[in-house]
Amino acid sequence: MARQPDIQYVRFYTAGSAARKLEPVKKPRKNGVALPKMKPRVEKRRVIRVDPLAVCAVVTAVFMLFAMAVGMLELGSLTDQANQMESYAAKLSAENAQLEAQYHSSYDLNDVEQKALDMGFVSEDQLQHITVEVSEPVVEAEPTAWEEFCQFVTELFA
């Protein structure tokens, strides 16, 4: 078998750039007078215009957000206080019920009646009873506004 020849790469490299070199253009003259040179362009500053209404809206939104956060904090603290007050009121009502039960169980009605008699009170059996009858006076019904209007019209055309 025959041997294959070695591959040789052709080099397509040229020294320098293959681009065409431009010669500087000489400035044309009008009637022998050189034209004025152009000033290099100075890039203008970009001005960002701000809409005052949009700025006011953003400031208002930030203020309202802040006010809402403060309100939420105050609402939380007030809720805690309300819960504390409710628990305190429940505790007081339980204590009140206990004290009322103790009070009612501490006195005897017979003992109270005896002390009253010693002080000079009279028992209910010894009191003189008087019955007074009171009758309610009859009040004449006053005419309504419609009845007064009807009476006025009849008197007007009578």
Side-chain angles (χ1 to χ4, degrees), residues 69-85:
V70 169
M72 291 297 288
L73 291 174
E74 282 195 31
L75 179 64
S77 70
L78 290 176
T79 304
D80 291 341
Q81 285 180 356
N83 291 338
Q84 288 176 354
M85 291 296 197

Side-chain angles (χ1 to χ4, degrees), residues 6-7 16 28 47 63 68 77 89 96 103 117 132 134-135 144 153 157:
D6 291 334
I7 299 174
V47 177
F63 176 74
M68 186 177 72
S77 70
N96 189 30
Y103 171 72
L117 290 174
V132 178
V134 178
S135 62
T144 62
V153 171
F157 293 113

Side-chain angles (χ1 to χ4, degrees), residues 46-145:
R46 293 184 183 226
V47 177
I48 298 174
R49 300 201 186 268
V50 179
D51 185 15
L53 185 63
V55 170
C56 290
V58 169
V59 168
T60 303
V62 169
F63 176 74
M64 291 180 79
L65 182 66
F66 177 73
M68 186 177 72
V70 169
M72 291 297 288
L73 291 174
E74 282 195 31
L75 179 64
S77 70
L78 290 176
T79 304
D80 291 341
Q81 285 180 356
N83 291 338
Q84 288 176 354
M85 291 296 197
E86 285 177 1
S87 66
Y88 183 66
K91 180 181 172 185
L92 286 179
S93 105
E95 185 180 348
N96 189 30
Q98 178 188 3
L99 289 174
E100 280 183 359
Q102 182 182 358
Y103 171 72
H104 289 298
S105 66
S106 68
Y107 64 87
D108 183 23
L109 291 178
N110 294 330
D111 187 34
V112 171
E113 183 180 1
Q114 186 60 40
K115 285 183 182 180
L117 290 174
D118 291 343
M119 289 174 56
F121 285 87
V122 181
S123 68
E124 185 180 356
D125 300 337
Q126 296 173 357
L127 289 176
Q128 181 183 11
H129 294 283
I130 300 173
T131 305
V132 178
E133 289 187 30
V134 178
S135 62
E136 197 174 322
V138 179
V139 179
E140 294 182 18
E142 293 186 24
T144 62

Side-chain angles (χ1 to χ4, degrees), residues 14-21:
T14 57
S17 174
R20 182 175 145 226
K21 290 184 180 179

